[in-house]
Amino acid sequence: DAKHLVPNKMRDFFCTINLDQEEVFRTQVVEKSLSPYFGEEFYFEIPRTFQWLSFYIYDKSVLQKDLRIGKVSIKKEDLCNYTGKENWFMLQPVDSNSEVQGKVHLELKLNELITDNGSVCQQLVVHIKECHGLPLINGQNCDPYATVSLVGPSRNDQKKTKVKKKTSNPQFNETFYFEVTRSSSYTKKSQFQVEEEDIEKLEVRVDLWNNGNLVQDVFLGEIKVPVKVLRNDSFQAWYLLQPRENGNKSSKTDDLGSLRLNICYTEDCVLPSEYYASLRNLLLKTSDVQPISASAAYILSEVCRDKYDAVLPLVRLLLHHHKLVPFVAAVAELDLKDTQEANTIFRGNSLATRCVDEMMKIVGKHYLKVTLKPVIDEICESPKPCEIDPIKLREGDNVEINMENLRYYVDKVFREIVRSSISCPTVMCDVFYSLRHLAAKRFPNDPHVQYSAVSSFVFLRFFAVAVVSPHTFHLRPHHPDAQTSRTLTLISKAIQTLGSWGSLTKSKLSSFKETFMCEFFRTFQEEKFTESVKKFLDDVSSTESKEPSGMSEPVHLKEGEMYKRAQGRTRIGKKNFKKRWFCLTSREFTYHKHQDKEPIFTIPIKNILAVEKLDESSFNKKNMFQVLHGEKPLYIQANNCVEASEWIEALCRVTRCNQKRLSFYHPSAFLNGNWLCCKATIENTVGCARCTADVPADTQIEIDGDRETERIYSLFTINMSKLQKLEEACGSIAVYQGPRKEPDDYSNFTIEDSVATFHTLKQIIDILEKLNESHEKYQKKRSSSAKYGSE
């Protein structure tokens, strides 16, 4: 949220999230407010390098261009200082001199020359090769050029490159020469009046500009390199463009207001896969360790202050290697040992429940979309009043009509859920099967516990949570408004209750805190609801293989506005890219002239052969990808790098079962009679690069196992002192079996078998020491190869 925004009158505001100058997300517009509350969460992988993470506050305008009120910009290196906590940031003014992104590739060299009068001077050679990642200007590729200057106290020699048209990655390949006179060669006849100490103050400055033609040129960034660092050496490096020194400075920064942010940023330095073999193998053997509390994975959860930090990489790694189900079964069995009553089964935030929660979020995304997205869209886009709390009813509301509306929505959501078992991912079914049988074994005299063990997850922690927060599960693009949120909350409460096996008896109705909910649920006392729940829970906790659902209606998975290249050239041949509305369903991929219009072009999902990125050099456009099907490739430009990545992932996931998927593709386009990538002249020739998304049919998500192992290594390293304390505790327990001394050191740890735990701890610490050495070697190698000023 934001507060005390200017101008000091009620306006309509929205906020954007930018990587450098590239907008990747924007919030909904909050109308007529000086302190707008956005309340939106955005989670995304960053698919490219960046310098700044920025947040811009805009004043929404109907007739004119939206006005940027101010911004919060955080340097990449400083993100770790703010991660994991809320912070208020003062808005800074938006200054064009500070709005930069991209990098420039330079080669610099000092040559000695003999002048006409016989003295020795030095010549500076500046070879400006190329730039990468320059910002879009008004949504289009810029027309960049560079000025190269040798600047000192008594000189400013400037030269200029040619203008490159419509590109964010210009190839300049121009060389400029500057004479630098040393003090030993200084004479009154010399053409340069350079003082003795001036050589220490000279610097090379490269400024990037967008050629404005009839309007003023726009500054794109600059870099400065002191001449003294070159010595007699020659080197080349990439330099990140920097803002001007006078950019973003104003005496009125306090007047713009402030923005509250909660940022969670993680960055991992991932080594080659072979370095992680020992740690990975130790973690993957977790389910074989007896007892489970002596395993590496369980110890990780014990030493981390917040179990969630350990759960996410652990679940992803075990999922990737198909080892999650036995691990969840083992920790769930340990959890059940401490459960005394059947009606409290899996209700706490233990390691077992958190692992199942995270697993459902990861593998169940598509399942949620297939099951809930159509009905959630209906509720959000055509909301009916559903308030049944007498205290919250507004004047003119009819509680009976509202109750009918709510019943209609609850019936529809419930019906979609209990019909969805065939779409439930196999991993979820396997986990539910294990939990069900463990619960029945723990409480053999309770016939309902096998159902409540499953419903406590699939209803309470999966469907009910997704209904109340659809934006968190990517079922809706934004947080719903207050009235819709209240409707979703009431539906979620109803789904939780209907899904809790054994809670539909009259004796349970008295347990509702709200009388109005008790009255509402009296209408649900029908045998068909309990039987439907039971059948659904039986189905999703079965180990029988399931086929993809042959649903009568296609499910909308993703939609949005992008640009596509015409399938064939127009007669004039100028406007080959047009804005279109794209829609992806479980059955087909289409584009339309406008939203809600009939499709212009349709590709059945079964006909998609591959979905891959397209080299920017093909059309001098960023964020492009290609959809390969029976006809010519469909070339599409997304609005930003995150959106492009999400579309590629969605298309790859929905087409992963296609039997005719390609193994090779062309990374560039076929233009002017040849492929730009391999120069082949036959258009239908086999691709020259291996498909990156050629995944097996049973792969639900893409997981980088090495990255997850690196994250686990980092967590172990951060908590090394706790590992050592736990090791000491195991040693003291093994040696001294009497009353424990200093219990505070390890009383919070679960130590069932001190010898087995000690053995695992020793393995972990030995592996960490070896990985520490590998990381140190990498850092030394990286720092020794770094050039001055380079990225």
Short mmCIF file of all heavy atoms in Angstrom, two decimals, residues 529-573:
data_model
loop_
_atom_site.label_atom_id
_atom_site.label_comp_id
_atom_site.label_asym_id
_atom_site.label_seq_id
_atom_site.Cartn_x
_atom_site.Cartn_y
_atom_site.Cartn_z
N PHE A 529 -24.69 -35.44 -0.35
CA PHE A 529 -23.46 -34.66 -0.15
C PHE A 529 -22.39 -35.51 0.52
O PHE A 529 -21.23 -35.52 0.10
CB PHE A 529 -23.75 -33.41 0.68
CG PHE A 529 -24.43 -32.33 -0.11
CD1 PHE A 529 -25.80 -32.17 -0.04
CD2 PHE A 529 -23.71 -31.48 -0.93
CE1 PHE A 529 -26.44 -31.20 -0.77
CE2 PHE A 529 -24.35 -30.50 -1.67
CZ PHE A 529 -25.72 -30.35 -1.59
N THR A 530 -22.78 -36.24 1.57
CA THR A 530 -21.80 -37.06 2.28
C THR A 530 -21.31 -38.21 1.39
O THR A 530 -20.13 -38.55 1.41
CB THR A 530 -22.41 -37.61 3.57
OG1 THR A 530 -23.60 -38.33 3.27
CG2 THR A 530 -22.75 -36.48 4.53
N GLU A 531 -22.20 -38.78 0.62
CA GLU A 531 -21.80 -39.87 -0.27
C GLU A 531 -20.88 -39.36 -1.38
O GLU A 531 -19.93 -40.04 -1.77
CB GLU A 531 -23.04 -40.54 -0.87
CG GLU A 531 -23.82 -41.40 0.10
CD GLU A 531 -22.96 -42.50 0.72
OE1 GLU A 531 -22.20 -43.16 -0.04
OE2 GLU A 531 -23.03 -42.69 1.94
N SER A 532 -21.17 -38.15 -1.88
CA SER A 532 -20.31 -37.56 -2.93
C SER A 532 -18.91 -37.31 -2.39
O SER A 532 -17.91 -37.58 -3.09
CB SER A 532 -20.91 -36.25 -3.43
OG SER A 532 -22.14 -36.46 -4.07
N VAL A 533 -18.81 -36.79 -1.15
CA VAL A 533 -17.51 -36.53 -0.54
C VAL A 533 -16.75 -37.85 -0.38
O VAL A 533 -15.56 -37.95 -0.72
CB VAL A 533 -17.67 -35.82 0.82
CG1 VAL A 533 -16.34 -35.79 1.56
CG2 VAL A 533 -18.19 -34.42 0.63
N LYS A 534 -17.45 -38.86 0.12
CA LYS A 534 -16.81 -40.15 0.36
C LYS A 534 -16.28 -40.76 -0.94
O LYS A 534 -15.14 -41.25 -1.01
CB LYS A 534 -17.80 -41.11 1.01
CG LYS A 534 -17.23 -42.47 1.35
CD LYS A 534 -18.27 -43.34 2.04
CE LYS A 534 -17.72 -44.74 2.31
NZ LYS A 534 -18.71 -45.61 2.98
N LYS A 535 -17.10 -40.72 -1.99
CA LYS A 535 -16.67 -41.27 -3.28
C LYS A 535 -15.47 -40.50 -3.83
O LYS A 535 -14.51 -41.09 -4.35
CB LYS A 535 -17.82 -41.23 -4.29
CG LYS A 535 -17.46 -41.88 -5.62
CD LYS A 535 -18.63 -41.83 -6.60
CE LYS A 535 -18.27 -42.56 -7.90
NZ LYS A 535 -17.03 -42.08 -8.52
N PHE A 536 -15.50 -39.17 -3.72
CA PHE A 536 -14.39 -38.34 -4.20
C PHE A 536 -13.10 -38.67 -3.44
O PHE A 536 -12.04 -38.84 -4.05
CB PHE A 536 -14.73 -36.86 -4.04
CG PHE A 536 -13.58 -35.94 -4.30
CD1 PHE A 536 -13.11 -35.73 -5.60
CD2 PHE A 536 -12.94 -35.28 -3.26
CE1 PHE A 536 -12.03 -34.88 -5.84
CE2 PHE A 536 -11.86 -34.43 -3.49
CZ PHE A 536 -11.42 -34.24 -4.79
N LEU A 537 -13.18 -38.77 -2.12
CA LEU A 537 -11.99 -39.07 -1.31
C LEU A 537 -11.47 -40.47 -1.62
O LEU A 537 -10.26 -40.71 -1.62
CB LEU A 537 -12.30 -38.92 0.18
CG LEU A 537 -12.65 -37.50 0.63
CD1 LEU A 537 -13.06 -37.48 2.10
CD2 LEU A 537 -11.48 -36.56 0.40
N ASP A 538 -12.39 -41.41 -1.87
CA ASP A 538 -11.96 -42.75 -2.29
C ASP A 538 -11.17 -42.68 -3.60
O ASP A 538 -10.14 -43.35 -3.76
CB ASP A 538 -13.18 -43.67 -2.47
CG ASP A 538 -13.74 -44.17 -1.15
OD1 ASP A 538 -12.98 -44.21 -0.16
OD2 ASP A 538 -14.93 -44.52 -1.10
N ASP A 539 -11.67 -41.88 -4.53
CA ASP A 539 -11.04 -41.80 -5.85
C ASP A 539 -9.65 -41.16 -5.79
O ASP A 539 -8.71 -41.64 -6.42
CB ASP A 539 -11.93 -41.01 -6.81
CG ASP A 539 -13.19 -41.79 -7.19
OD1 ASP A 539 -13.20 -43.02 -7.00
OD2 ASP A 539 -14.15 -41.16 -7.67
N VAL A 540 -9.54 -40.04 -5.05
CA VAL A 540 -8.25 -39.32 -5.05
C VAL A 540 -7.22 -39.98 -4.14
O VAL A 540 -6.04 -39.59 -4.16
CB VAL A 540 -8.42 -37.83 -4.63
CG1 VAL A 540 -9.25 -37.08 -5.64
CG2 VAL A 540 -8.96 -37.69 -3.23
N SER A 541 -7.63 -40.95 -3.34
CA SER A 541 -6.66 -41.68 -2.53
C SER A 541 -6.47 -43.09 -3.04
O SER A 541 -6.07 -44.00 -2.30
CB SER A 541 -7.09 -41.70 -1.06
OG SER A 541 -8.38 -42.29 -0.92
N SER A 542 -6.73 -43.27 -4.32
CA SER A 542 -6.54 -44.56 -4.97
C SER A 542 -5.24 -44.53 -5.76
O SER A 542 -4.85 -43.49 -6.28
CB SER A 542 -7.71 -44.86 -5.91
OG SER A 542 -7.41 -45.95 -6.75
N THR A 543 -4.57 -45.65 -5.87
CA THR A 543 -3.32 -45.72 -6.62
C THR A 543 -3.53 -46.16 -8.06
O THR A 543 -2.56 -46.37 -8.80
CB THR A 543 -2.34 -46.71 -5.96
OG1 THR A 543 -2.98 -47.99 -5.86
CG2 THR A 543 -1.94 -46.22 -4.58
N GLU A 544 -4.80 -46.30 -8.48
CA GLU A 544 -5.06 -46.68 -9.87
C GLU A 544 -4.63 -45.56 -10.80
O GLU A 544 -4.81 -44.38 -10.49
CB GLU A 544 -6.55 -46.97 -10.07
CG GLU A 544 -7.05 -48.19 -9.29
CD GLU A 544 -8.54 -48.41 -9.50
OE1 GLU A 544 -9.12 -47.67 -10.32
OE2 GLU A 544 -9.09 -49.29 -8.85
N SER A 545 -4.07 -45.91 -11.95
CA SER A 545 -3.62 -44.90 -12.90
C SER A 545 -4.80 -44.15 -13.48
O SER A 545 -5.87 -44.72 -13.69
CB SER A 545 -2.81 -45.55 -14.03
OG SER A 545 -3.62 -46.47 -14.73
N LYS A 546 -4.58 -42.87 -13.73
CA LYS A 546 -5.67 -42.02 -14.25
C LYS A 546 -5.28 -41.47 -15.60
O LYS A 546 -4.15 -41.10 -15.85
CB LYS A 546 -5.94 -40.88 -13.27
CG LYS A 546 -6.50 -41.37 -11.95
CD LYS A 546 -6.77 -40.20 -11.03
CE LYS A 546 -7.55 -40.63 -9.81
NZ LYS A 546 -6.92 -41.71 -9.09
N GLU A 547 -6.26 -41.38 -16.46
CA GLU A 547 -6.05 -40.79 -17.78
C GLU A 547 -6.47 -39.33 -17.73
O GLU A 547 -7.29 -38.93 -16.91
CB GLU A 547 -6.89 -41.53 -18.83
CG GLU A 547 -6.53 -43.00 -18.99
CD GLU A 547 -5.12 -43.17 -19.52
OE1 GLU A 547 -4.67 -42.32 -20.32
OE2 GLU A 547 -4.45 -44.13 -19.10
N PRO A 548 -5.90 -38.50 -18.61
CA PRO A 548 -6.34 -37.11 -18.66
C PRO A 548 -7.84 -37.01 -18.89
O PRO A 548 -8.42 -37.79 -19.63
CB PRO A 548 -5.56 -36.54 -19.86
CG PRO A 548 -4.38 -37.45 -20.00
CD PRO A 548 -4.84 -38.80 -19.56
N SER A 549 -8.43 -36.05 -18.25
CA SER A 549 -9.89 -35.92 -18.30
C SER A 549 -10.37 -35.55 -19.70
O SER A 549 -9.90 -34.59 -20.29
CB SER A 549 -10.33 -34.84 -17.31
OG SER A 549 -11.70 -34.62 -17.41
N GLY A 550 -11.34 -36.29 -20.21
CA GLY A 550 -11.94 -35.93 -21.48
C GLY A 550 -13.16 -35.06 -21.23
O GLY A 550 -14.29 -35.50 -21.40
N MET A 551 -12.93 -33.84 -20.81
CA MET A 551 -14.03 -32.96 -20.41
C MET A 551 -14.78 -32.44 -21.63
O MET A 551 -14.19 -32.23 -22.69
CB MET A 551 -13.48 -31.80 -19.59
CG MET A 551 -12.76 -32.24 -18.32
SD MET A 551 -12.19 -30.83 -17.38
CE MET A 551 -13.73 -30.09 -16.90
N SER A 552 -16.06 -32.25 -21.46
CA SER A 552 -16.88 -31.79 -22.58
C SER A 552 -16.58 -30.33 -22.91
O SER A 552 -16.65 -29.93 -24.06
CB SER A 552 -18.36 -31.96 -22.25
OG SER A 552 -18.69 -31.23 -21.07
N GLU A 553 -16.25 -29.52 -21.91
CA GLU A 553 -15.97 -28.11 -22.13
C GLU A 553 -14.48 -27.84 -21.95
O GLU A 553 -13.88 -28.29 -20.97
CB GLU A 553 -16.77 -27.25 -21.15
CG GLU A 553 -18.26 -27.21 -21.42
CD GLU A 553 -18.59 -26.57 -22.76
OE1 GLU A 553 -17.92 -25.59 -23.14
OE2 GLU A 553 -19.51 -27.07 -23.44
N PRO A 554 -13.84 -27.12 -22.88
CA PRO A 554 -12.43 -26.78 -22.70
C PRO A 554 -12.23 -25.82 -21.52
O PRO A 554 -13.10 -25.00 -21.23
CB PRO A 554 -12.05 -26.10 -24.03
CG PRO A 554 -13.35 -25.59 -24.57
CD PRO A 554 -14.40 -26.56 -24.12
N VAL A 555 -11.10 -25.93 -20.86
CA VAL A 555 -10.81 -25.10 -19.69
C VAL A 555 -9.85 -23.99 -20.08
O VAL A 555 -8.81 -24.25 -20.70
CB VAL A 555 -10.20 -25.95 -18.56
CG1 VAL A 555 -9.84 -25.08 -17.38
CG2 VAL A 555 -11.18 -27.03 -18.14
N HIS A 556 -10.18 -22.75 -19.75
CA HIS A 556 -9.31 -21.61 -20.04
C HIS A 556 -8.13 -21.62 -19.09
O HIS A 556 -8.30 -21.62 -17.87
CB HIS A 556 -10.09 -20.30 -19.90
CG HIS A 556 -11.00 -20.02 -21.06
ND1 HIS A 556 -10.66 -19.16 -22.08
CD2 HIS A 556 -12.21 -20.52 -21.38
CE1 HIS A 556 -11.64 -19.12 -22.97
NE2 HIS A 556 -12.59 -19.94 -22.57
N LEU A 557 -6.92 -21.64 -19.64
CA LEU A 557 -5.71 -21.71 -18.83
C LEU A 557 -4.98 -20.38 -18.76
O LEU A 557 -4.43 -20.02 -17.73
CB LEU A 557 -4.78 -22.78 -19.40
CG LEU A 557 -5.37 -24.19 -19.49
CD1 LEU A 557 -4.39 -25.12 -20.16
CD2 LEU A 557 -5.74 -24.70 -18.11
N LYS A 558 -4.95 -19.63 -19.86
CA LYS A 558 -4.24 -18.35 -19.87
C LYS A 558 -4.73 -17.52 -21.04
O LYS A 558 -5.08 -18.07 -22.10
CB LYS A 558 -2.73 -18.59 -19.98
CG LYS A 558 -1.87 -17.33 -19.77
CD LYS A 558 -0.40 -17.70 -19.68
CE LYS A 558 0.46 -16.45 -19.50
NZ LYS A 558 0.19 -15.75 -18.22
N GLU A 559 -4.77 -16.21 -20.85
CA GLU A 559 -5.15 -15.32 -21.95
C GLU A 559 -4.51 -13.97 -21.74
O GLU A 559 -4.12 -13.61 -20.63
CB GLU A 559 -6.67 -15.19 -22.06
CG GLU A 559 -7.35 -14.69 -20.81
CD GLU A 559 -8.88 -14.69 -20.93
OE1 GLU A 559 -9.37 -15.00 -22.02
OE2 GLU A 559 -9.53 -14.37 -19.94
N GLY A 560 -4.36 -13.22 -22.82
CA GLY A 560 -3.77 -11.89 -22.72
C GLY A 560 -3.42 -11.34 -24.08
O GLY A 560 -3.50 -12.02 -25.11
N GLU A 561 -3.02 -10.08 -24.10
CA GLU A 561 -2.73 -9.36 -25.33
C GLU A 561 -1.24 -9.44 -25.65
O GLU A 561 -0.41 -9.17 -24.79
CB GLU A 561 -3.16 -7.90 -25.19
CG GLU A 561 -3.52 -7.23 -26.49
CD GLU A 561 -4.22 -5.90 -26.26
OE1 GLU A 561 -3.69 -5.09 -25.47
OE2 GLU A 561 -5.29 -5.67 -26.83
N MET A 562 -0.92 -9.85 -26.87
CA MET A 562 0.46 -9.90 -27.33
C MET A 562 0.49 -9.51 -28.81
O MET A 562 -0.54 -9.20 -29.40
CB MET A 562 1.06 -11.30 -27.13
CG MET A 562 1.19 -11.72 -25.68
SD MET A 562 2.07 -13.30 -25.47
CE MET A 562 0.87 -14.46 -26.13
N TYR A 563 1.70 -9.54 -29.39
CA TYR A 563 1.86 -9.21 -30.81
C TYR A 563 2.25 -10.47 -31.57
O TYR A 563 3.07 -11.25 -31.11
CB TYR A 563 2.93 -8.14 -30.99
CG TYR A 563 2.58 -6.81 -30.38
CD1 TYR A 563 2.81 -6.56 -29.03
CD2 TYR A 563 1.99 -5.80 -31.14
CE1 TYR A 563 2.48 -5.35 -28.45
CE2 TYR A 563 1.66 -4.58 -30.57
CZ TYR A 563 1.90 -4.36 -29.23
OH TYR A 563 1.56 -3.16 -28.68
N LYS A 564 1.66 -10.65 -32.74
CA LYS A 564 2.02 -11.81 -33.56
C LYS A 564 2.46 -11.32 -34.94
O LYS A 564 2.00 -10.30 -35.46
CB LYS A 564 0.85 -12.79 -33.66
CG LYS A 564 -0.37 -12.30 -34.43
CD LYS A 564 -0.35 -12.77 -35.87
CE LYS A 564 -1.47 -12.06 -36.66
NZ LYS A 564 -1.37 -12.35 -38.10
N ARG A 565 3.38 -12.09 -35.52
CA ARG A 565 3.82 -11.77 -36.87
C ARG A 565 2.88 -12.42 -37.86
O ARG A 565 2.45 -13.56 -37.69
CB ARG A 565 5.24 -12.27 -37.11
CG ARG A 565 5.79 -11.88 -38.50
CD ARG A 565 7.24 -12.30 -38.64
NE ARG A 565 7.79 -11.81 -39.90
CZ ARG A 565 7.85 -12.52 -41.03
NH1 ARG A 565 7.37 -13.76 -41.03
NH2 ARG A 565 8.38 -12.02 -42.12
N ALA A 566 2.55 -11.68 -38.91
CA ALA A 566 1.64 -12.21 -39.93
C ALA A 566 2.18 -13.51 -40.50
O ALA A 566 3.39 -13.67 -40.70
CB ALA A 566 1.45 -11.17 -41.04
N GLN A 567 1.27 -14.45 -40.77
CA GLN A 567 1.68 -15.75 -41.31
C GLN A 567 2.29 -15.61 -42.70
O GLN A 567 3.20 -16.33 -43.07
CB GLN A 567 0.47 -16.69 -41.37
CG GLN A 567 -0.12 -17.01 -40.01
CD GLN A 567 0.77 -17.95 -39.21
OE1 GLN A 567 1.42 -18.80 -39.77
NE2 GLN A 567 0.79 -17.80 -37.90
N GLY A 568 1.79 -14.65 -43.47
CA GLY A 568 2.37 -14.34 -44.78
C GLY A 568 2.50 -12.84 -44.90
O GLY A 568 1.79 -12.09 -44.25
N ARG A 569 3.42 -12.36 -45.70
CA ARG A 569 3.64 -10.92 -45.80
C ARG A 569 2.42 -10.21 -46.40
O ARG A 569 1.74 -10.74 -47.25
CB ARG A 569 4.86 -10.62 -46.67
CG ARG A 569 6.15 -11.05 -46.02
CD ARG A 569 7.33 -10.52 -46.83
NE ARG A 569 8.58 -10.87 -46.20
CZ ARG A 569 9.12 -10.19 -45.21
NH1 ARG A 569 8.53 -9.14 -44.73
NH2 ARG A 569 10.27 -10.57 -44.68
N THR A 570 2.19 -9.01 -45.92
CA THR A 570 1.12 -8.20 -46.50
C THR A 570 1.60 -7.67 -47.86
O THR A 570 2.79 -7.72 -48.19
CB THR A 570 0.79 -7.01 -45.58
OG1 THR A 570 1.98 -6.22 -45.42
CG2 THR A 570 0.35 -7.50 -44.21
N ARG A 571 0.67 -7.15 -48.61
CA ARG A 571 1.03 -6.65 -49.94
C ARG A 571 2.03 -5.50 -49.83
O ARG A 571 2.96 -5.38 -50.61
CB ARG A 571 -0.22 -6.19 -50.68
CG ARG A 571 -1.13 -7.35 -51.09
CD ARG A 571 -2.35 -6.85 -51.84
NE ARG A 571 -3.22 -7.96 -52.21
CZ ARG A 571 -4.37 -7.81 -52.83
NH1 ARG A 571 -4.80 -6.59 -53.16
NH2 ARG A 571 -5.11 -8.86 -53.14
N ILE A 572 1.79 -4.62 -48.88
CA ILE A 572 2.71 -3.49 -48.71
C ILE A 572 3.99 -3.96 -48.03
O ILE A 572 5.08 -3.50 -48.32
CB ILE A 572 2.03 -2.37 -47.89
CG1 ILE A 572 0.76 -1.92 -48.61
CG2 ILE A 572 2.97 -1.21 -47.67
CD1 ILE A 572 -0.07 -0.91 -47.85
N GLY A 573 3.86 -4.91 -47.08
CA GLY A 573 5.04 -5.48 -46.44
C GLY A 573 5.60 -4.68 -45.30
O GLY A 573 6.72 -4.89 -44.88
#
